[in-house]
Amino acid sequence: MGNQVALMVLVDIQSSAKFSGILRLMFARLWLWSTPGLEFYKHMGSGRNGGFSFHPSATHQALFCIFKDIASAERFYKTSRLIQWYRAHAKEFFSVKLKTYSIKGQWSGFVPQITVDAPSSGPIVSITRASIKPLNCLQFWSKEPAAESSLEQTSGCIIAAGIGEAPFFRQATFTIWESQAAMDQYARQGAHQAAIRASMSGNYFSESMFSRYQPFDAFGSWKGRTLG
């Protein structure tokens, strides 16, 4: 097993700072790659209200990073100009560190290391992401909203956020669940199960990744719910 540690940050930026936030979403890549120990990152936007919507949000953003070890992750979290700006200008800010226990697929060609055994109890994190083929985009989105709209109301789901690198075509879902059993129960529900079957049979994706993590060091709040 490897030593990698992932970090997910969700932020809802104050309306007065939304234009500065958009500029950071556009240009933070110019300095993020020089971060010591950073092996992979995605700086993303979100749907309206931080959820699953065709309409992009002007204030919701997400940052997903993978570092070579815990020391690099903690150093970035404490010293990053972007993290400091987020915390100073956020209506809501949430962060959590993650250890990977299951990976299927890849993200922009990157495959995270397995760093921990599957937990026997306690909360888990799921990140699913896909690059949707343009010719299949309308078919995919005709099925996906029903699955995602039920997600935030599902028993056992602590946090749900719709995030992505590009509207419509490169999308991701970040969720925290009370347990593996709670997530498995949702996966068997009608709308979500139908979306899974459709995506697998319809060859909608040019690339996808389905990943599971053990969360730790959660901090902050999201959609009114405080964690950590």
Side-chain angles (χ1 to χ4, degrees):
M1 291 188 182
N3 296 317
Q4 287 179 346
V5 172
L7 171 70
M8 177 64 83
V9 174
L10 303 175
V11 62
D12 182 10
I13 299 165
Q14 297 170 6
S15 297
S16 60
K18 66 180 179 181
F19 294 112
S20 294
I22 292 170
L23 290 174
R24 280 164 173 77
L25 185 60
M26 294 171 62
F27 297 114
R29 69 191 70 184
L30 298 177
W31 69 79
L32 276 172
W33 272 127
S34 64
T35 302
L38 181 64
E39 297 187 336
F40 177 84
Y41 86 91
K42 290 294 179 181
H43 197 188
M44 297 169 282
S46 179
R48 183 177 292 172
N49 298 319
F52 310 93
S53 171
F54 292 113
H55 305 284
S57 170
T59 61
H60 291 83
Q61 294 183 19
L63 178 66
F64 178 65
C65 301
I66 296 180
F67 296 89
K68 68 176 184 179
D69 53 33
I70 185 65
S72 300
E74 291 181 345
R75 181 170 56 247
F76 172 79
Y77 188 79
K78 292 176 182 177
T79 64
S80 164
R81 289 181 292 167
L82 181 61
I83 298 295
Q84 291 172 355
W85 188 89
Y86 274 160
R87 294 185 67 170
H89 296 86
K91 288 192 291 186
E92 282 199 301
F93 175 95
F94 173 74
S95 65
V96 63
K97 298 184 182 74
L98 308 167
K99 294 182 180 179
T100 311
Y101 71 85
S102 176
I103 286 286
K104 294 181 180 178
Q106 59 187 10
W107 198 341
S108 297
F110 183 84
V111 181
Q113 298 173 355
I114 299 295
T115 57
V116 70
D117 292 329
S120 58
S121 62
I124 67 161
V125 164
S126 170
I127 299 176
T128 63
R129 59 80 48 188
S131 296
I132 305 164
K133 293 180 179 179
L135 292 178
N136 294 329
C137 184
L138 290 178
Q139 275 187 301
F140 173 80
W141 280 105
S142 70
K143 297 175 173 61
E144 188 67 7
E148 304 300 4
S149 64
S150 67
L151 179 55
E152 293 181 302
Q153 309 303 321
T154 300
S155 175
C157 183
I158 299 172
I159 280 183
I163 53 181
E165 302 163 70
F168 304 112
F169 299 113
R170 287 185 289 168
Q171 296 292 299
T173 301
F174 171 79
T175 49
I176 302 180
W177 298 88
E178 292 178 353
S179 65
Q180 179 75 46
M183 188 191 71
D184 290 344
Q185 176 64 32
Y186 168 73
R188 291 191 291 266
Q189 290 182 359
H192 189 263
Q193 193 174 59
I196 291 174
R197 284 199 301 266
S199 65
M200 293 180 68
S201 63
N203 195 29
Y204 290 110
F205 306 144
S206 59
E207 185 188 57
S208 62
M209 187 180 82
F210 302 87
S211 52
R212 306 290 182 263
Y213 307 84
Q214 182 178 0
F216 66 105
D217 282 354
F219 171 83
S221 66
W222 191 248
K223 296 186 178 180
R225 183 160 190 174
T226 300
L227 296 99

